[in-house]
Amino acid sequence: MKIFAADHVYAADEFTIKSQNISSNELMERASNQVFKWLDLRLQGAKAKLHVFSGVGNNGGDGLVIARLLLEKGYDVIVHIVNFSDNRSRDFLINLDRLKQLKYWPEAINTDSAYPEISTDAIVIDCIFGIGLNRSPEDWVGGLIAHINSSKAFVLSVDIPSGLYLDRVPDRKDFVIQANHTLTFQVPKLVFFLPETGVYTNQWELLNIGLDMNFLSSIETMMYLIGKHEVLPLYIPRQKFSHKGTYGHALIIGGSYGKIGAPLMTSEACLNTGAGLVTAFIPKCGYTIFQTSFPEAMVIADSNEESITNIKYEITPNVIAIGPGLGTNTTTINAFADFLKGNKVPLVIDADGLNILAEFPELIKLIPPKSVLTPHPKELQRLIGEWNDDFDKLEMVKRFSKNNDLIIVVKGAHTITVYQNQLYINNNGNPGMATAGSGDVLTGMITGLIAQGYNHLNAAVFGVYLHGKAGDLGVEKTGYQALTATTIIDFIGDAFLDLFIKEEPKKEGE
């Protein structure tokens, strides 16, 4: 699913209005009616107090339409118009008149007004600002937003929590609505998926407002939200007359004394994702552990007992994962550098492999093109330097990717795969996956897909999705706290099977 910038959304609105021969107010009515239906299906006529806070632009117009429909249905509604500007949009004024035709007069909130009382059992419908906000709210409006947040009432934001920008972090964190739920129109917004801005809505949901799908499909964008429908076309089915050699040979290089578990999990995940053959290159201390715990793997042991000191092998792998549990002592760093100087095989680099690259950035130029790097936030910071905010971070990652022709998997609650200017934002996974070894498993999964012949970018995007799905399936059995990396491995097969489970269409109201 594509993620669009604000100007794309406005263009889609205008095209829809022209192509469907409707007015902008009719499109507003359609969108607001979807919000009303969502509310009505859940409230079922309940006697809750509903506070609608409307600005004076088109987002405020949405609020007035929603309020009118709720009043017509008999709900207990108080409409507050937040007069942050003397300029009112045409559609706002049209819907203000329609509200008054019901003999209802909204309450105005001005610079010197007292903030309305909001009880904890009330419902707030936030329509103060929309996606067009380009400057910080005035102090008194920011104070109103803080007042709404402190009320502890349930807050439903329409399209986007008021105070959020689409393209940068807020100037004042306390001047942004903290929404319990956001109903966003037609397309997801990037701010829902970044740590600094995603915190302003606990949940979000798309509402289809009938924008022209052909026009949306025609828009070029560099941002994509990845779910099952996006990865299913990437899947490469197995052929009847294939054999283990058909699906590639992966080499996993890593481990040090006390950290043999990392390459072990990487190797297991790699084979479970479908690699035909897996060989592990580890220090001698891990030999018995590997042969006992993972008999499917072949093992090459370094001459050193406790760490990797000389990476030499006689096999011909299709892909190499390096870094899990590797350590960063001097001999290992030298071995890593010597390995890079002679290697031409595609790499997946994680953990200490990334830390060595951060310490010796001249080695980055030795990495084969389109190799995959999988940093967690601290590893990424060491690699690319400090960033100002999440938007700056993405720009720095894109630059790093473009300059070095590398695919960067930025791990997080919504892991983002970056290749040059393209962003692929994963939309599954859960907090239980914030556990030791989860990243090692992801490295193995991406490596396993590359071994089978998947395009490197597709392998990263697909691997991240399968990893998140395996975690989601696993957490249903364990709960968040007890989910472990090895449990994620156990559910990789289920994640593949889930690709082909047809979802039952949701009934209205579900």
Side-chain angles (χ1 to χ4, degrees):
M1 183 183 297
K2 293 179 177 180
I3 297 176
F4 298 113
D7 55 345
H8 293 144
V9 178
Y10 291 136
D13 284 351
E14 291 178 15
F15 186 89
T16 301
I17 288 165
K18 290 178 183 176
S19 64
Q20 296 180 10
N21 195 27
I22 59 174
S23 66
S24 58
N25 188 60
E26 286 173 305
L27 182 60
M28 179 178 286
E29 187 82 16
R30 183 196 293 175
S32 302
N33 191 56
Q34 291 292 92
V35 178
F36 162 74
K37 288 198 296 185
W38 188 94
L39 275 164
D40 189 38
L41 283 165
R42 285 152 182 80
L43 291 174
Q44 296 288 310
K47 298 302 179 185
K49 177 75 74 177
L50 291 99
H51 292 265
V52 179
F53 286 88
S54 291
V56 293
N58 281 348
N59 197 247
D62 292 327
L64 298 182
V65 177
I66 295 163
R68 188 188 79 236
L69 295 171
L70 289 167
L71 286 164
E72 289 173 342
K73 195 70 183 284
Y75 285 100
D76 185 3
V77 181
I78 301 176
V79 181
H80 310 275
I81 293 180
V82 185
N83 283 320
F84 57 77
S85 172
D86 293 332
N87 298 320
R88 284 148 167 67
S89 77
R90 179 176 173 275
D91 290 335
F92 169 87
L93 292 171
I94 289 172
N95 286 293
L96 180 60
D97 286 340
R98 288 179 179 175
L99 197 58
K100 290 178 178 178
Q101 286 169 19
L102 295 179
K103 307 300 182 187
Y104 182 90
W105 277 263
E107 298 180 1
I109 302 178
N110 301 305
T111 311
D112 53 355
S113 300
Y115 298 142
E117 186 176 334
I118 307 168
S119 64
T120 56
D121 58 354
I123 295 172
V124 170
I125 301 169
D126 159 39
C127 298
I128 303 172
F129 300 115
I131 62 173
L133 185 69
N134 55 21
R135 60 185 176 86
S136 185
E138 292 183 40
D139 286 350
W140 70 272
V141 181
L144 172 64
I145 288 172
H147 172 71
I148 293 169
N149 290 339
S150 66
S151 73
K152 305 302 181 185
F154 180 89
V155 179
L156 175 70
S157 286
V158 175
D159 206 19
I160 191 170
S162 289
L164 268 187
Y165 307 121
L166 275 194
D167 58 357
R168 64 186 194 274
V169 299
D171 305 305
R172 290 275 304 267
K173 293 180 180 180
D174 53 338
F175 282 13
V176 183
I177 285 287
Q178 183 67 62
N180 297 91
H181 203 93
T182 298
L183 297 176
T184 198
F185 295 144
Q186 198 75 43
V187 294
K189 279 64 177 177
L190 176 62
V191 288
F192 296 159
F193 309 107
L194 303 180
E196 288 180 289
T197 52
V199 294
Y200 293 104
T201 184
N202 293 342
Q203 293 180 304
W204 65 275
E205 191 173 335
L206 277 184
L207 291 183
N208 186 342
I209 63 171
L211 295 184
D212 190 282
M213 292 307 297
N214 289 329
F215 182 81
L216 289 173
S217 298
S218 71
I219 295 175
E220 291 290 330
T221 179
M222 292 294 183
M223 298 185 290
Y224 303 88
L225 184 62
I226 302 300
K228 181 191 289 191
H229 296 297
E230 286 72 32
V231 300
L232 191 54
L234 306 181
Y235 175 77
I236 300 175
R238 295 213 162 194
Q239 301 301 314
K240 179 179 179 180
F241 293 102
S242 58
H243 52 83
K244 63 186 178 184
T246 308
Y247 301 110
H249 191 168
L251 175 62
I252 312 299
I253 303 174
S256 54
Y257 184 79
K259 295 180 181 178
I260 297 301
L264 179 60
M265 287 184 288
T266 302
S267 300
E268 289 182 333
C270 182
L271 197 67
N272 275 267
T273 308
L277 294 161
V278 174
T279 295
F281 189 104
I282 56 173
K284 194 181 291 184
C285 64
Y287 184 83
T288 302
I289 296 169
F290 251 86
Q291 294 287 54
T292 306
S293 303
F294 188 34
E296 295 90 346
M298 295 175 285
V299 182
I300 303 171
D302 192 279
S303 58
N304 189 278
E305 183 71 26
E306 297 191 352
S307 61
I308 287 175
T309 59
N310 187 19
I311 303 171
K312 298 293 182 184
Y313 49 86
E314 295 180 357
I315 63 172
T316 307
N318 303 88
V319 58
I320 300 170
I322 186 165
L326 187 66
T328 56
N329 67 44
T330 302
T331 52
T332 299
I333 291 171
N334 291 337
F336 181 77
D338 290 342
F339 161 75
L340 287 181
K341 289 170 186 174
N343 174 65
K344 301 300 179 186
V345 178
L347 298 177
V348 181
I349 306 178
D350 188 26
D352 285 327
L354 298 171
N355 292 329
I356 295 170
L357 291 176
E359 191 173 350
F360 301 95
E362 66 274 11
L363 297 177
I364 293 169
K365 294 302 179 185
L366 301 175
I367 301 171
K370 297 179 180 58
S371 289
V372 182
L373 278 55
T374 62
H376 62 52
K378 270 295 177 188
E379 290 164 348
L380 181 65
Q381 187 182 73
R382 294 183 197 117
L383 198 60
I384 67 172
E386 296 274 355
W387 51 80
N388 296 321
D389 54 50
D390 285 339
F391 289 90
D392 186 42
K393 174 176 71 176
L394 289 178
E395 290 303 314
M396 290 174 69
V397 174
K398 286 193 283 188
R399 243 184 342 263
F400 182 87
S401 170
K402 193 183 297 185
N403 290 342
N404 299 290
D405 196 18
L406 297 173
I407 297 160
I408 315 299
V409 175
V410 182
K411 292 187 286 198
H414 290 279
T415 293
I416 303 176
T417 302
V418 180
Y419 181 57
Q420 300 193 4
N421 287 326
Q422 301 168 65
L423 304 179
Y424 300 86
I425 301 166
N426 196 56
N427 197 31
N428 62 13
N430 62 80
M433 298 176 72
T435 185
S438 179
D440 302 316
V441 172
L442 176 60
T443 295
M445 294 177 73
I446 294 171
T447 304
L449 291 170
I450 295 174
Q452 293 168 75
Y454 281 82
N455 165 307
H456 296 186
L457 179 58
N458 289 351
V461 172
F462 194 16
V464 169
Y465 172 84
L466 289 170
H467 182 252
K469 189 64 186 180
D472 287 345
L473 294 169
V475 84
E476 291 176 11
K477 301 290 185 183
T478 67
Y480 292 130
Q481 288 76 12
L483 184 67
T484 63
T486 51
T487 304
I488 297 171
I489 295 172
D490 291 340
F491 280 89
I492 292 173
D494 298 86
F496 273 107
L497 291 173
D498 182 79
L499 290 171
F500 305 99
I501 296 174
K502 290 186 178 178
E503 296 175 4
E504 294 292 326
K506 287 186 178 181
K507 296 177 183 177
E508 194 171 6
E510 289 186 343

